[in-house]
Amino acid sequence: MYQDKTLVCKDCGNEFVFTAGEQEFYAEKGFQNEPQRCKACRDAKKASMRENREMYTAVCAACGKEAKVPFVPKNDKPVYCSECFANRKAE
């Protein structure tokens, strides 16, 4: 049903292939728009967003260690360090 499409990256201008499998994935997720950036430019944009993200310090509700989080901690909700968050998620 889907066929590979060649698109042009809006950042670097290089052509990239929007595969049939990717198109099917986009359709399953309900995405309306085709990707506008190639994988390298998407990865670079994500990395720059992570680098520029302001981090906040909190105390882990489980172990009491310092935790760095990308949101302003509020007293009404517990905050967990990366390790405790991963452990809770696995349970």
Side-chain angles (χ1 to χ4, degrees):
M1 180 165 141
Y2 296 102
Q3 293 182 359
D4 290 357
K5 285 184 177 178
T6 301
L7 304 176
V8 177
C9 177
K10 78 175 199 175
D11 287 350
C12 68
N14 290 331
E15 291 184 346
F16 66 98
V17 177
F18 185 34
T19 67
E22 290 170 330
Q23 292 174 52
E24 187 173 349
F25 174 79
Y26 270 52
E28 287 173 6
K29 295 292 182 183
F31 298 150
Q32 300 287 321
N33 301 319
E34 295 177 340
Q36 296 182 3
R37 292 177 178 86
C38 65
K39 177 152 177 41
C41 288
R42 281 195 313 264
D43 291 346
K45 182 175 169 107
K46 287 178 191 176
S48 74
M49 290 176 73
R50 269 187 241 115
E51 289 172 8
N52 296 330
R53 182 182 289 177
E54 186 173 354
M55 299 297 279
Y56 301 90
T57 303
V59 176
C60 177
C63 70
K65 290 192 282 187
E66 183 179 284
K68 297 273 188 190
V69 293
F71 56 87
V72 177
K74 297 187 177 171
N75 293 333
D76 62 336
K77 292 189 178 182
V79 175
Y80 300 100
C81 66
S82 298
E83 188 175 315
C84 291
F85 183 77
N87 290 339
R88 291 179 58 81
K89 199 172 182 182
E91 292 175 359

